[in-house]
Amino acid sequence: MRAPLGDFDDAAPAPERLDRLTAPVAEAVRTWQGDVPVDQLIYVDTDPEIADTAVFVEHYGPELLAASANCVVVAAKRGGETSFAACVVLSSTRVDVNGVVRKHLGARKASFAPMDTATGETGMEYGGITPIGLPAGWSVLVDPAVVDTEWVLIGSGSRRGKLIVPGKVFAELPGAVVLDGLGN
């Protein structure tokens, strides 16, 4: 199969590659209920040593940068309680954690979650965290530019492999809120 963007040697619908996905992502794919058919979630096998965006696009092609998104985990604190949210922005932007995210979550303090916390809470690998398969009850904050991108390249839950999905998928994920100004 040819991926809808990029030039990858191994691309297939994610349901055919469940064995390559982390458990929470595989379960989300298995139980998919979005308006976009699950076979439009495409898994591409990639080298885990070059999973970080800058190195990835250098190797697989600079045209992928405009379609790449990052998912970062934010820890929000209020009244002694900590909650977690995922923020999805295009790779060419940064998440406005202390402004838009903190205000939206009603937190006194918001910051990027430490690596061990992000991986422990999600069951995914650092550098591969994706909003598909996050824990129930999490907010998934999505920049409108991600939703407006035809095909988006994002982590697959591990450093090996990426998912290519229609941008509109992100607005349909459980807990998703499309939030103006999230990425700047």
Side-chain angles (χ1 to χ4, degrees), residues 16-74:
E16 296 177 15
R17 297 292 194 262
L18 295 176
D19 60 324
R20 296 189 187 173
L21 300 172
T22 58
V25 179
E27 182 61 20
V29 170
R30 253 192 299 280
T31 60
W32 187 257
Q33 295 183 5
D35 289 338
V36 172
V38 70
D39 63 350
Q40 287 190 23
L41 280 64
I42 308 299
Y43 174 85
V44 293
D45 193 43
T46 60
D47 182 347
E49 296 299 316
I50 57 171
D52 296 326
T53 304
V55 180
F56 187 89
V57 299
E58 182 179 312
H59 180 81
Y60 289 102
E63 69 281 359
L64 293 174
L65 183 59
S68 295
N70 290 329
C71 178
V72 297
V73 176
V74 172

Side-chain angles (χ1 to χ4, degrees), residues 91-174:
S91 297
S92 58
T93 65
R94 296 189 180 275
V95 176
D96 183 2
V97 174
N98 289 311
V100 173
V101 174
R102 184 184 59 75
K103 289 175 188 167
H104 178 79
L105 297 175
R108 177 185 51 77
K109 181 181 179 187
S111 58
F112 294 109
M115 180 174 55
D116 59 335
T117 301
T119 57
E121 292 289 328
T122 63
M124 300 179 201
E125 292 178 10
Y126 190 76
I129 294 176
T130 184
I132 298 170
L134 290 171
W138 275 36
S139 292
V140 179
L141 309 179
V142 184
D143 190 85
V146 174
V147 176
D148 293 341
T149 301
E150 183 178 12
W151 291 97
V152 177
L153 178 80
I154 194 145
S156 66
S158 72
R159 290 184 64 83
R160 177 177 202 117
K162 300 281 187 185
L163 293 173
I164 300 174
V165 301
K168 61 186 174 184
V169 160
F170 298 98
E172 299 177 357
L173 293 174

